[in-house]
Amino acid sequence: MNTEMKNAVITTDKEAQYDESAKRLLGQKYILAYILINSVEEFRGMNVEEVVPLIEGTPYISTVPLEAGLTNQSADYHLDNKTSRIIGFNSENSDKYEGLIRFDIVFYVRMTDGISQIIINVEAQKDEPTKYHILNRAIFYVSRLISSQKERDFENINYNDIKRVYSIWVCMNMKENSMCHIHLTKDDLLGEYDWKGNLDLFNIIMIGLSKELPDNSDMYELHRLLCALFSQELSKEQKLEIINNEYNIPIEETLRKDVNVMCNLSQGIKEAGIAEGRAEGIAEGETKIIINMHNNGFSLEQIIKATNKTAEEINTIIEQNA
């Protein structure tokens, strides 16, 4: 396998591992609690220790299919002539849906009234995609979070039981730190009739993270935490110090291991990128030498001796750069 191909394979493998590690870190309840405090109005001003217990069960990470008909799961069982419903996200037999798109992280969170719930989806992006508009994808995801509730969170036409949903997108390597809330609004075009319904069911939060670690301030509380987690410059010790000392997040063994894995993968990706860049540079330099020799009248035999390339390789380079 040539150097360029080998580095590409190694990088792809490390990036896939990096993605999974990033999801596991984001899926830590203390991290999710800080995200909720900074993005959902009802949790603003709350202490992280108050929010963590409100996150129900264990967040689903890369297990819930996004496709229609596969997100929700419900089953009927009969006991003493009564029908009850088993409800939950469809994460059973996930290998059966191999290759399908899945939500990065999805979970229920109980509101402070102890009764109502909202559904939270968190998505991690290494950067802003170029093949499609990321907001269009976010709208699709939040729409699926709503439509998949039918026969799971509400039955038949009981649309008043639809749970509020948030799709929260963490986009790294942006030019600047940012955060915005995209939601439904009502514009009265004629008259002012009060149509009954909940405009707050649909919510998208876009979080942009710059490469630079922001200052320790209230304004950048969430961004500093997330930037520290995903930084490719900070050491494991520096990350753990920020997480523990500034955010009072308990450093459990699983968190320590995930941070260590992220640091190792970041370094591996960086080194592979450097090696690949060097390989590309060498290849580009050889191409220039061959073209210059050809343009200056050197014979094929002379070029072969000077570059250790085969006649076929040299002819191909000459034809591609003709």
Side-chain angles (χ1 to χ4, degrees), residues 103-201:
F103 292 105
D104 280 0
I105 302 167
V106 64
F107 60 95
Y108 288 91
V109 60
R110 183 76 54 179
M111 303 306 291
T112 54
D113 60 12
I115 301 173
S116 57
Q117 296 172 307
I118 60 176
I119 298 173
I120 305 291
N121 159 233
V122 180
E123 297 291 324
Q125 296 283 298
K126 290 192 296 295
D127 46 36
E128 187 173 6
T130 56
K131 293 182 179 180
Y132 58 85
H133 297 310
I134 192 169
L135 185 55
N136 292 351
R137 183 177 174 186
I139 291 170
F140 178 75
Y141 275 48
V142 81
S143 299
R144 285 292 302 130
L145 289 170
I146 291 176
S147 65
S148 67
Q149 293 182 47
K150 184 165 173 54
E151 307 307 329
R152 186 187 72 217
D153 296 296
F154 73 93
E155 300 177 41
N156 301 322
I157 61 171
N158 297 321
Y159 295 106
N160 287 355
D161 294 333
I162 295 176
K163 298 185 188 302
R164 193 152 44 113
V165 300
Y166 277 79
S167 188
I168 302 173
W169 293 69
V170 180
C171 299
M172 309 169 207
N173 299 308
M174 303 296 286
K175 291 183 179 179
E176 61 181 357
N177 291 306
S178 64
M179 182 163 67
C180 70
H181 179 200
I182 299 162
H183 52 102
L184 298 176
T185 60
K186 174 177 175 283
D187 295 325
D188 291 314
L189 304 180
L190 179 64
E192 297 181 0
Y193 186 78
D194 184 20
W195 298 96
K196 302 299 184 291
N198 301 324
L199 289 178
D200 62 353
L201 293 177

Side-chain angles (χ1 to χ4, degrees), residues 240-259:
L240 292 175
E241 183 179 354
I242 291 174
I243 293 168
N244 186 230
N245 295 347
E246 296 183 17
Y247 293 90
N248 297 315
I249 295 176
I251 305 299
E252 298 176 356
E253 189 58 28
T254 54
L255 178 59
R256 186 183 299 275
K257 286 181 179 179
D258 283 340
V259 169

Side-chain angles (χ1 to χ4, degrees), residues 28-64:
Q28 297 274 343
K29 285 192 175 183
Y30 275 88
I31 305 299
L32 293 174
Y34 271 106
I35 292 175
L36 292 174
I37 289 169
N38 285 273
S39 57
V40 180
E41 186 62 36
E42 286 83 349
F43 298 116
R44 291 190 187 278
M46 290 181 64
N47 191 288
V48 67
E49 281 78 12
E50 297 174 307
V51 178
V52 167
L54 299 176
I55 298 173
E56 299 192 335
T58 301
Y60 297 94
I61 301 176
S62 298
T63 56
V64 179

Side-chain angles (χ1 to χ4, degrees), residues 4 276-290 309 317:
E4 186 175 351
E276 186 176 352
R278 286 173 178 165
E280 289 177 353
I282 292 171
E284 184 178 349
E286 289 179 339
T287 298
K288 287 182 178 179
I289 290 172
I290 291 170
K309 294 281 186 182
I317 291 172

Side-chain angles (χ1 to χ4, degrees), residues 1-19:
M1 186 180 295
N2 64 54
T3 303
E4 186 175 351
M5 180 65 72
K6 183 178 179 181
N7 285 323
V9 171
I10 292 173
T11 304
T12 301
D13 180 57
K14 288 185 181 297
E15 287 179 346
Q17 295 175 49
Y18 184 94
D19 289 344

